mmCIF file of all heavy atoms in Angstrom:
data_model
loop_
_atom_site.group_PDB
_atom_site.id
_atom_site.type_symbol
_atom_site.label_atom_id
_atom_site.label_comp_id
_atom_site.label_asym_id
_atom_site.label_seq_id
_atom_site.Cartn_x
_atom_site.Cartn_y
_atom_site.Cartn_z
ATOM 1 N N LEU A 1160 -4.405 -6.749 -19.001
ATOM 2 C CA LEU A 1160 -4.503 -8.205 -18.888
ATOM 3 C C LEU A 1160 -3.925 -8.731 -17.578
ATOM 4 O O LEU A 1160 -4.481 -9.655 -16.966
ATOM 5 C CB LEU A 1160 -3.775 -8.863 -20.070
ATOM 6 C CG LEU A 1160 -4.418 -8.686 -21.449
ATOM 7 C CD1 LEU A 1160 -3.523 -9.292 -22.521
ATOM 8 C CD2 LEU A 1160 -5.803 -9.325 -21.489
ATOM 9 N N PHE A 1161 -2.820 -8.161 -17.134
ATOM 10 C CA PHE A 1161 -2.100 -8.723 -15.990
ATOM 11 C C PHE A 1161 -2.110 -7.835 -14.743
ATOM 12 O O PHE A 1161 -1.800 -8.300 -13.657
ATOM 13 C CB PHE A 1161 -0.643 -9.003 -16.380
ATOM 14 C CG PHE A 1161 -0.504 -9.930 -17.553
ATOM 15 C CD1 PHE A 1161 -0.020 -9.450 -18.775
ATOM 16 C CD2 PHE A 1161 -0.857 -11.263 -17.454
ATOM 17 C CE1 PHE A 1161 0.108 -10.299 -19.863
ATOM 18 C CE2 PHE A 1161 -0.731 -12.119 -18.536
ATOM 19 C CZ PHE A 1161 -0.255 -11.633 -19.754
ATOM 20 N N GLY A 1162 -2.464 -6.560 -14.911
ATOM 21 C CA GLY A 1162 -2.418 -5.642 -13.782
ATOM 22 C C GLY A 1162 -3.356 -6.037 -12.657
ATOM 23 O O GLY A 1162 -3.031 -5.894 -11.469
ATOM 24 N N GLY A 1163 -4.515 -6.549 -13.019
ATOM 25 C CA GLY A 1163 -5.480 -6.956 -12.002
ATOM 26 C C GLY A 1163 -4.961 -8.074 -11.120
ATOM 27 O O GLY A 1163 -5.203 -8.082 -9.900
ATOM 28 N N THR A 1164 -4.239 -9.001 -11.722
ATOM 29 C CA THR A 1164 -3.673 -10.118 -10.951
ATOM 30 C C THR A 1164 -2.641 -9.618 -9.948
ATOM 31 O O THR A 1164 -2.634 -10.024 -8.776
ATOM 32 C CB THR A 1164 -3.034 -11.144 -11.897
ATOM 33 O OG1 THR A 1164 -4.021 -11.639 -12.793
ATOM 34 C CG2 THR A 1164 -2.440 -12.305 -11.111
ATOM 35 N N VAL A 1165 -1.776 -8.732 -10.401
ATOM 36 C CA VAL A 1165 -0.752 -8.168 -9.513
ATOM 37 C C VAL A 1165 -1.410 -7.403 -8.369
ATOM 38 O O VAL A 1165 -1.027 -7.544 -7.200
ATOM 39 C CB VAL A 1165 0.200 -7.248 -10.302
ATOM 40 C CG1 VAL A 1165 1.169 -6.534 -9.357
ATOM 41 C CG2 VAL A 1165 0.967 -8.044 -11.352
ATOM 42 N N PHE A 1166 -2.420 -6.615 -8.701
ATOM 43 C CA PHE A 1166 -3.105 -5.827 -7.681
ATOM 44 C C PHE A 1166 -3.784 -6.733 -6.658
ATOM 45 O O PHE A 1166 -3.764 -6.463 -5.448
ATOM 46 C CB PHE A 1166 -4.138 -4.915 -8.343
ATOM 47 C CG PHE A 1166 -4.759 -3.919 -7.410
ATOM 48 C CD1 PHE A 1166 -4.021 -2.849 -6.937
ATOM 49 C CD2 PHE A 1166 -6.075 -4.052 -7.004
ATOM 50 C CE1 PHE A 1166 -4.580 -1.917 -6.075
ATOM 51 C CE2 PHE A 1166 -6.652 -3.129 -6.148
ATOM 52 C CZ PHE A 1166 -5.902 -2.058 -5.682
ATOM 53 N N ALA A 1167 -4.363 -7.836 -7.129
ATOM 54 C CA ALA A 1167 -5.018 -8.789 -6.223
ATOM 55 C C ALA A 1167 -4.008 -9.427 -5.278
ATOM 56 O O ALA A 1167 -4.297 -9.637 -4.088
ATOM 57 C CB ALA A 1167 -5.737 -9.857 -7.031
ATOM 58 N N LEU A 1168 -2.809 -9.726 -5.783
ATOM 59 C CA LEU A 1168 -1.763 -10.297 -4.941
ATOM 60 C C LEU A 1168 -1.318 -9.305 -3.875
ATOM 61 O O LEU A 1168 -1.090 -9.666 -2.717
ATOM 62 C CB LEU A 1168 -0.569 -10.717 -5.801
ATOM 63 C CG LEU A 1168 -0.786 -11.926 -6.717
ATOM 64 C CD1 LEU A 1168 0.412 -12.112 -7.642
ATOM 65 C CD2 LEU A 1168 -1.032 -13.187 -5.899
ATOM 66 N N PHE A 1169 -1.214 -8.044 -4.259
ATOM 67 C CA PHE A 1169 -0.845 -7.017 -3.291
ATOM 68 C C PHE A 1169 -1.922 -6.844 -2.219
ATOM 69 O O PHE A 1169 -1.612 -6.675 -1.037
ATOM 70 C CB PHE A 1169 -0.601 -5.685 -4.004
ATOM 71 C CG PHE A 1169 0.763 -5.571 -4.632
ATOM 72 C CD1 PHE A 1169 1.676 -6.619 -4.583
ATOM 73 C CD2 PHE A 1169 1.154 -4.410 -5.283
ATOM 74 C CE1 PHE A 1169 2.933 -6.513 -5.156
ATOM 75 C CE2 PHE A 1169 2.404 -4.294 -5.858
ATOM 76 C CZ PHE A 1169 3.292 -5.350 -5.789
ATOM 77 N N LEU A 1170 -3.177 -6.891 -2.635
ATOM 78 C CA LEU A 1170 -4.266 -6.783 -1.665
ATOM 79 C C LEU A 1170 -4.242 -7.940 -0.674
ATOM 80 O O LEU A 1170 -4.460 -7.759 0.539
ATOM 81 C CB LEU A 1170 -5.617 -6.741 -2.385
ATOM 82 C CG LEU A 1170 -6.068 -5.394 -2.940
ATOM 83 C CD1 LEU A 1170 -7.389 -5.555 -3.675
ATOM 84 C CD2 LEU A 1170 -6.193 -4.354 -1.839
ATOM 85 N N ALA A 1171 -3.954 -9.133 -1.188
ATOM 86 C CA ALA A 1171 -3.878 -10.303 -0.306
ATOM 87 C C ALA A 1171 -2.724 -10.148 0.689
ATOM 88 O O ALA A 1171 -2.858 -10.475 1.880
ATOM 89 C CB ALA A 1171 -3.707 -11.570 -1.134
ATOM 90 N N ALA A 1172 -1.584 -9.640 0.201
ATOM 91 C CA ALA A 1172 -0.423 -9.445 1.088
ATOM 92 C C ALA A 1172 -0.699 -8.355 2.103
ATOM 93 O O ALA A 1172 -0.219 -8.433 3.246
ATOM 94 C CB ALA A 1172 0.806 -9.093 0.251
ATOM 95 N N TRP A 1173 -1.463 -7.345 1.739
ATOM 96 C CA TRP A 1173 -1.739 -6.217 2.625
ATOM 97 C C TRP A 1173 -2.484 -6.660 3.893
ATOM 98 O O TRP A 1173 -2.385 -6.019 4.937
ATOM 99 C CB TRP A 1173 -2.555 -5.171 1.872
ATOM 100 C CG TRP A 1173 -2.751 -3.886 2.604
ATOM 101 C CD1 TRP A 1173 -1.809 -2.945 2.918
ATOM 102 C CD2 TRP A 1173 -3.985 -3.391 3.133
ATOM 103 N NE1 TRP A 1173 -2.377 -1.891 3.596
ATOM 104 C CE2 TRP A 1173 -3.721 -2.136 3.741
ATOM 105 C CE3 TRP A 1173 -5.299 -3.872 3.135
ATOM 106 C CZ2 TRP A 1173 -4.709 -1.379 4.342
ATOM 107 C CZ3 TRP A 1173 -6.282 -3.119 3.733
ATOM 108 C CH2 TRP A 1173 -5.985 -1.888 4.344
ATOM 109 N N GLU A 1174 -3.208 -7.756 3.800
ATOM 110 C CA GLU A 1174 -3.917 -8.280 4.971
ATOM 111 C C GLU A 1174 -2.945 -8.706 6.070
ATOM 112 O O GLU A 1174 -3.329 -8.857 7.225
ATOM 113 C CB GLU A 1174 -4.794 -9.465 4.554
ATOM 114 C CG GLU A 1174 -5.929 -9.105 3.608
ATOM 115 C CD GLU A 1174 -6.918 -8.139 4.227
ATOM 116 O OE1 GLU A 1174 -7.155 -8.230 5.461
ATOM 117 O OE2 GLU A 1174 -7.447 -7.273 3.490
ATOM 118 N N TYR A 1175 -1.685 -8.884 5.720
ATOM 119 C CA TYR A 1175 -0.670 -9.310 6.690
ATOM 120 C C TYR A 1175 0.290 -8.159 7.018
ATOM 121 O O TYR A 1175 1.416 -8.390 7.463
ATOM 122 C CB TYR A 1175 0.108 -10.499 6.130
ATOM 123 C CG TYR A 1175 -0.766 -11.699 5.854
ATOM 124 C CD1 TYR A 1175 -1.329 -11.897 4.586
ATOM 125 C CD2 TYR A 1175 -1.058 -12.617 6.858
ATOM 126 C CE1 TYR A 1175 -2.149 -12.993 4.336
ATOM 127 C CE2 TYR A 1175 -1.876 -13.711 6.612
ATOM 128 C CZ TYR A 1175 -2.423 -13.891 5.347
ATOM 129 O OH TYR A 1175 -3.241 -14.978 5.101
ATOM 130 N N ARG A 1176 -0.144 -6.929 6.841
ATOM 131 C CA ARG A 1176 0.685 -5.740 7.054
ATOM 132 C C ARG A 1176 1.122 -5.633 8.511
ATOM 133 O O ARG A 1176 0.416 -6.078 9.427
ATOM 134 C CB ARG A 1176 -0.074 -4.488 6.625
ATOM 135 C CG ARG A 1176 -1.360 -4.245 7.405
ATOM 136 C CD ARG A 1176 -2.216 -3.171 6.709
ATOM 137 N NE ARG A 1176 -3.475 -2.920 7.416
ATOM 138 C CZ ARG A 1176 -4.564 -3.659 7.278
ATOM 139 N NH1 ARG A 1176 -4.552 -4.724 6.494
ATOM 140 N NH2 ARG A 1176 -5.675 -3.341 7.923
ATOM 141 N N LEU A 1177 2.267 -5.016 8.700
ATOM 142 C CA LEU A 1177 2.810 -4.826 10.042
ATOM 143 C C LEU A 1177 2.209 -3.610 10.737
ATOM 144 O O LEU A 1177 2.078 -3.594 11.959
ATOM 145 C CB LEU A 1177 4.338 -4.683 9.970
ATOM 146 C CG LEU A 1177 5.098 -5.887 9.410
ATOM 147 C CD1 LEU A 1177 6.581 -5.556 9.298
ATOM 148 C CD2 LEU A 1177 4.894 -7.108 10.283
ATOM 149 N N PHE A 1178 1.870 -2.575 9.951
ATOM 150 C CA PHE A 1178 1.349 -1.333 10.520
ATOM 151 C C PHE A 1178 0.112 -0.880 9.746
ATOM 152 O O PHE A 1178 -0.025 -1.162 8.555
ATOM 153 C CB PHE A 1178 2.412 -0.219 10.469
ATOM 154 C CG PHE A 1178 3.712 -0.583 11.121
ATOM 155 C CD1 PHE A 1178 4.803 -0.980 10.357
ATOM 156 C CD2 PHE A 1178 3.844 -0.544 12.505
ATOM 157 C CE1 PHE A 1178 6.006 -1.311 10.943
ATOM 158 C CE2 PHE A 1178 5.044 -0.877 13.108
ATOM 159 C CZ PHE A 1178 6.125 -1.278 12.333
ATOM 160 N N ASP A 1179 -0.765 -0.168 10.416
ATOM 161 C CA ASP A 1179 -1.930 0.438 9.767
ATOM 162 C C ASP A 1179 -1.604 1.889 9.438
ATOM 163 O O ASP A 1179 -1.935 2.807 10.203
ATOM 164 C CB ASP A 1179 -3.155 0.360 10.683
ATOM 165 C CG ASP A 1179 -3.746 -1.040 10.735
ATOM 166 O OD1 ASP A 1179 -3.941 -1.634 9.649
ATOM 167 O OD2 ASP A 1179 -3.987 -1.535 11.848
ATOM 168 N N ILE A 1180 -0.946 2.095 8.330
ATOM 169 C CA ILE A 1180 -0.533 3.444 7.945
ATOM 170 C C ILE A 1180 -1.733 4.281 7.527
ATOM 171 O O ILE A 1180 -1.809 5.476 7.812
ATOM 172 C CB ILE A 1180 0.514 3.376 6.813
ATOM 173 C CG1 ILE A 1180 1.807 2.759 7.348
ATOM 174 C CG2 ILE A 1180 0.785 4.757 6.237
ATOM 175 C CD1 ILE A 1180 2.891 2.573 6.313
ATOM 176 N N GLY A 1181 -2.680 3.651 6.861
ATOM 177 C CA GLY A 1181 -3.890 4.364 6.469
ATOM 178 C C GLY A 1181 -3.652 5.381 5.380
ATOM 179 O O GLY A 1181 -2.735 5.257 4.568
ATOM 180 N N TRP A 1182 -4.490 6.465 5.398
ATOM 181 C CA TRP A 1182 -4.476 7.447 4.314
ATOM 182 C C TRP A 1182 -4.087 8.831 4.827
ATOM 183 O O TRP A 1182 -4.486 9.848 4.266
ATOM 184 C CB TRP A 1182 -5.848 7.490 3.643
ATOM 185 C CG TRP A 1182 -6.267 6.154 3.123
ATOM 186 C CD1 TRP A 1182 -6.948 5.187 3.805
ATOM 187 C CD2 TRP A 1182 -5.975 5.610 1.843
ATOM 188 N NE1 TRP A 1182 -7.118 4.073 3.013
ATOM 189 C CE2 TRP A 1182 -6.534 4.302 1.808
ATOM 190 C CE3 TRP A 1182 -5.305 6.084 0.710
ATOM 191 C CZ2 TRP A 1182 -6.444 3.482 0.701
ATOM 192 C CZ3 TRP A 1182 -5.216 5.268 -0.399
ATOM 193 C CH2 TRP A 1182 -5.772 3.987 -0.404
ATOM 194 N N ALA A 1183 -3.299 8.869 5.881
ATOM 195 C CA ALA A 1183 -2.869 10.153 6.440
ATOM 196 C C ALA A 1183 -2.102 10.956 5.387
ATOM 197 O O ALA A 1183 -1.443 10.395 4.498
ATOM 198 C CB ALA A 1183 -1.987 9.914 7.662
ATOM 199 N N TRP A 1184 -2.165 12.290 5.501
ATOM 200 C CA TRP A 1184 -1.527 13.147 4.494
ATOM 201 C C TRP A 1184 -0.038 12.878 4.378
ATOM 202 O O TRP A 1184 0.532 12.901 3.277
ATOM 203 C CB TRP A 1184 -1.768 14.619 4.838
ATOM 204 C CG TRP A 1184 -1.047 15.072 6.074
ATOM 205 C CD1 TRP A 1184 -1.521 15.099 7.351
ATOM 206 C CD2 TRP A 1184 0.310 15.540 6.142
ATOM 207 N NE1 TRP A 1184 -0.561 15.549 8.228
ATOM 208 C CE2 TRP A 1184 0.579 15.840 7.517
ATOM 209 C CE3 TRP A 1184 1.320 15.746 5.202
ATOM 210 C CZ2 TRP A 1184 1.808 16.319 7.938
ATOM 211 C CZ3 TRP A 1184 2.549 16.217 5.635
ATOM 212 C CH2 TRP A 1184 2.786 16.509 6.983
ATOM 213 N N TRP A 1185 0.603 12.614 5.521
ATOM 214 C CA TRP A 1185 2.052 12.405 5.496
ATOM 215 C C TRP A 1185 2.433 11.076 4.842
ATOM 216 O O TRP A 1185 3.581 10.895 4.416
ATOM 217 C CB TRP A 1185 2.621 12.436 6.909
ATOM 218 C CG TRP A 1185 1.987 11.432 7.852
ATOM 219 C CD1 TRP A 1185 0.961 11.657 8.720
ATOM 220 C CD2 TRP A 1185 2.340 10.046 7.976
ATOM 221 N NE1 TRP A 1185 0.640 10.508 9.400
ATOM 222 C CE2 TRP A 1185 1.484 9.492 8.964
ATOM 223 C CE3 TRP A 1185 3.294 9.229 7.384
ATOM 224 C CZ2 TRP A 1185 1.546 8.151 9.333
ATOM 225 C CZ3 TRP A 1185 3.359 7.890 7.752
ATOM 226 C CH2 TRP A 1185 2.497 7.363 8.715
ATOM 227 N N ALA A 1186 1.472 10.146 4.769
ATOM 228 C CA ALA A 1186 1.775 8.841 4.181
ATOM 229 C C ALA A 1186 2.041 8.948 2.680
ATOM 230 O O ALA A 1186 2.825 8.158 2.135
ATOM 231 C CB ALA A 1186 0.620 7.877 4.449
ATOM 232 N N TRP A 1187 1.420 9.932 2.015
ATOM 233 C CA TRP A 1187 1.576 10.060 0.562
ATOM 234 C C TRP A 1187 3.006 10.412 0.154
ATOM 235 O O TRP A 1187 3.583 9.710 -0.704
ATOM 236 C CB TRP A 1187 0.574 11.079 0.018
ATOM 237 C CG TRP A 1187 -0.832 10.575 0.051
ATOM 238 C CD1 TRP A 1187 -1.757 10.760 1.031
ATOM 239 C CD2 TRP A 1187 -1.451 9.747 -0.940
ATOM 240 N NE1 TRP A 1187 -2.927 10.116 0.713
ATOM 241 C CE2 TRP A 1187 -2.780 9.486 -0.486
ATOM 242 C CE3 TRP A 1187 -1.037 9.209 -2.152
ATOM 243 C CZ2 TRP A 1187 -3.671 8.712 -1.214
ATOM 244 C CZ3 TRP A 1187 -1.932 8.441 -2.883
ATOM 245 C CH2 TRP A 1187 -3.232 8.194 -2.425
ATOM 246 N N PRO A 1188 3.618 11.472 0.706
ATOM 247 C CA PRO A 1188 5.016 11.756 0.314
ATOM 248 C C PRO A 1188 5.980 10.652 0.741
ATOM 249 O O PRO A 1188 6.945 10.357 0.012
ATOM 250 C CB PRO A 1188 5.325 13.086 1.016
ATOM 251 C CG PRO A 1188 4.319 13.206 2.108
ATOM 252 C CD PRO A 1188 3.094 12.522 1.607
ATOM 253 N N VAL A 1189 5.729 10.054 1.905
ATOM 254 C CA VAL A 1189 6.595 8.951 2.335
ATOM 255 C C VAL A 1189 6.478 7.781 1.374
ATOM 256 O O VAL A 1189 7.480 7.176 0.963
ATOM 257 C CB VAL A 1189 6.243 8.511 3.773
ATOM 258 C CG1 VAL A 1189 7.021 7.247 4.147
ATOM 259 C CG2 VAL A 1189 6.539 9.620 4.762
ATOM 260 N N CYS A 1190 5.249 7.467 0.986
ATOM 261 C CA CYS A 1190 5.017 6.382 0.038
ATOM 262 C C CYS A 1190 5.694 6.676 -1.301
ATOM 263 O O CYS A 1190 6.319 5.793 -1.898
ATOM 264 C CB CYS A 1190 3.515 6.177 -0.158
ATOM 265 S SG CYS A 1190 3.089 4.849 -1.318
ATOM 266 N N PHE A 1191 5.587 7.926 -1.755
ATOM 267 C CA PHE A 1191 6.176 8.292 -3.046
ATOM 268 C C PHE A 1191 7.688 8.114 -3.027
ATOM 269 O O PHE A 1191 8.273 7.567 -3.973
ATOM 270 C CB PHE A 1191 5.823 9.744 -3.385
ATOM 271 C CG PHE A 1191 6.266 10.156 -4.755
ATOM 272 C CD1 PHE A 1191 5.491 9.867 -5.874
ATOM 273 C CD2 PHE A 1191 7.470 10.829 -4.945
ATOM 274 C CE1 PHE A 1191 5.903 10.239 -7.142
ATOM 275 C CE2 PHE A 1191 7.889 11.206 -6.209
ATOM 276 C CZ PHE A 1191 7.103 10.910 -7.319
ATOM 277 N N VAL A 1192 8.336 8.561 -1.965
ATOM 278 C CA VAL A 1192 9.794 8.451 -1.863
ATOM 279 C C VAL A 1192 10.220 6.986 -1.776
ATOM 280 O O VAL A 1192 11.157 6.551 -2.457
ATOM 281 C CB VAL A 1192 10.319 9.245 -0.654
ATOM 282 C CG1 VAL A 1192 11.799 8.963 -0.426
ATOM 283 C CG2 VAL A 1192 10.097 10.736 -0.861
ATOM 284 N N LEU A 1193 9.541 6.212 -0.928
ATOM 285 C CA LEU A 1193 9.898 4.800 -0.774
ATOM 286 C C LEU A 1193 9.596 4.012 -2.050
ATOM 287 O O LEU A 1193 10.344 3.096 -2.412
ATOM 288 C CB LEU A 1193 9.152 4.191 0.408
ATOM 289 C CG LEU A 1193 9.570 4.699 1.791
ATOM 290 C CD1 LEU A 1193 8.749 4.018 2.877
ATOM 291 C CD2 LEU A 1193 11.063 4.466 2.031
ATOM 292 N N ASP A 1194 8.528 4.376 -2.736
ATOM 293 C CA ASP A 1194 8.214 3.707 -4.001
ATOM 294 C C ASP A 1194 9.281 4.012 -5.047
ATOM 295 O O ASP A 1194 9.643 3.159 -5.855
ATOM 296 C CB ASP A 1194 6.843 4.153 -4.503
ATOM 297 C CG ASP A 1194 6.459 3.474 -5.809
ATOM 298 O OD1 ASP A 1194 6.141 2.268 -5.776
ATOM 299 O OD2 ASP A 1194 6.489 4.152 -6.858
#
């Protein structure tokens, strides 16, 4: 019921990102640790 709304807000915020990290292999472990 509510997950879609949260995801949409994150997508909107992502448009104002500071860096284009993309989908590089190293981004996954870094993302996991920071998350």
Side-chain angles (χ1 to χ4, degrees):
L1160 291 175
F1161 302 111
T1164 300
V1165 174
F1166 188 71
L1168 290 172
F1169 279 2
L1170 278 177
W1173 188 68
E1174 295 298 326
Y1175 299 93
R1176 61 193 179 277
L1177 298 176
F1178 305 101
D1179 285 312
I1180 293 177
W1182 303 89
W1184 69 267
W1185 56 265
W1187 289 94
V1189 173
C1190 180
F1191 186 83
V1192 172
L1193 291 180
D1194 181 73

